[in-house]
Amino acid sequence: MADPVGASHGAGGATNPRGIPVAPFVDKVEDYVASRQEVEKTLKNFQEMISKYQFMETNTQRRLAGLNEKVPGLQKTLDMLRFLGKRKLGSDDVETMFELNDTLYAKAAVPPTEEVYLWLGYQSRLFSAYVPKANVMLSYPIPEATHMLRSKLEDAKQKTAACEEDLDFLRDQITTMEVATARVYNWDIGQRRKEKSEKGTEDQLEHDES
């Protein structure tokens, strides 16, 4: 029997840059199925591959959703750091509304400063990159905080682009496997009809001879 999923490793073991295997393109069904007895197992293998791709697609969608929240938060924090960095010591305080949680704000007076406090996380809340689960806050000089957040923002943008690319790739692989499944299924139907036709011819010959 031909390997039904040159298959489990895709097209000759080829992968995308993140290691996701390329789905096999079924040009000739006979390369994957030597007889009708192998059809059921081959279709099962193909369906398992589709399920794996769909699982990876779901996980990638979740990662992308998290990154789509992360990037604006980091950008907002960087914008605030630029604003604070331009203010000189001795300047008047700036009045602002400080977010305590998603629905509660408090008025605050922000004096000029040379340092900021950042939660170890990513979701921006006014002057910090904040994640509810994070429980550590560190003090940074504004230039150092700006450099660190720029690096994190660039990394998040690269990961976002990679996730979007992976999603397009995974959708293509799922489509390829669905086409492969349909071709094997149609091949099986054709073989059944062929066998039925040949059997009918043989029966007719036996009838004529008798």
Side-chain angles (χ1 to χ4, degrees):
M1 173 182 174
D3 180 4
V5 208
S8 48
H9 300 291
T15 66
N16 82 338
R18 262 73 58 190
I20 301 174
V22 176
F25 179 75
V26 178
D27 186 21
K28 293 178 61 179
V29 174
E30 292 79 2
D31 292 339
Y32 293 85
V33 182
S35 68
R36 283 195 55 234
Q37 286 69 35
E38 297 176 357
V39 168
E40 183 177 352
K41 184 175 182 179
T42 300
L43 290 176
K44 181 180 178 181
N45 286 334
F46 283 178
Q47 186 56 52
E48 287 176 353
M49 287 191 69
I50 291 174
S51 296
K52 289 177 182 178
Y53 282 127
Q54 289 173 333
F55 176 76
M56 287 186 281
E57 181 184 29
T58 299
N59 285 341
T60 303
Q61 287 171 336
R62 288 174 180 167
R63 287 199 302 273
L64 182 59
L67 287 165
N68 285 336
E69 293 181 3
K70 177 178 183 177
V71 170
L74 288 170
Q75 186 62 62
K76 180 180 177 182
T77 304
L78 274 173
D79 291 342
M80 182 55 65
L81 288 176
R82 292 191 188 99
F83 171 76
L84 292 175
K86 291 178 181 178
R87 302 187 67 228
K88 304 298 182 182
L89 294 178
S91 301
D92 294 337
D93 293 355
V94 173
E95 286 192 358
T96 185
M97 297 300 292
F98 189 86
E99 184 181 1
L100 299 177
N101 60 36
D102 292 337
T103 59
L104 182 62
Y105 290 79
K107 185 179 290 186
V110 182
T113 182
E114 294 180 342
E115 67 177 12
V116 293
Y117 290 82
L118 301 180
W119 286 103
L120 298 185
Y122 65 76
Q123 184 180 347
S124 173
R125 287 205 175 177
L126 195 58
F127 304 132
S128 64
Y130 172 84
V131 163
K133 292 183 179 179
N135 197 31
V136 178
M137 177 182 281
L138 296 179
S139 171
Y140 293 91
I142 289 178
E144 184 178 341
T146 301
H147 176 76
M148 180 183 69
L149 290 179
R150 278 178 181 164
S151 175
K152 289 184 177 295
L153 178 60
E154 183 60 30
D155 180 64
K157 287 181 177 179
Q158 290 176 1
K159 288 179 178 178
T160 297
C163 281
E164 291 173 344
E165 182 180 315
D166 286 348
L167 281 175
D168 288 339
F169 178 81
L170 285 165
R171 292 183 186 114
D172 287 343
Q173 306 320 299
I174 291 171
T175 299
T176 298
M177 291 309 306
E178 288 173 343
V179 171
T181 299
R183 286 183 173 175
V184 173
Y185 180 78
N186 291 336
W187 179 89
D188 184 43
I189 292 177
Q191 291 299 110
R192 290 183 186 181
R193 290 174 178 170
K194 183 179 177 181
E195 291 175 3
K196 185 176 181 180
S197 176
E198 290 175 350
K199 187 176 186 304
T201 301
E202 290 176 0
D203 291 344
Q204 183 63 43
L205 288 173
E206 291 176 358
H207 177 73
D208 292 343
E209 290 175 355
S210 63

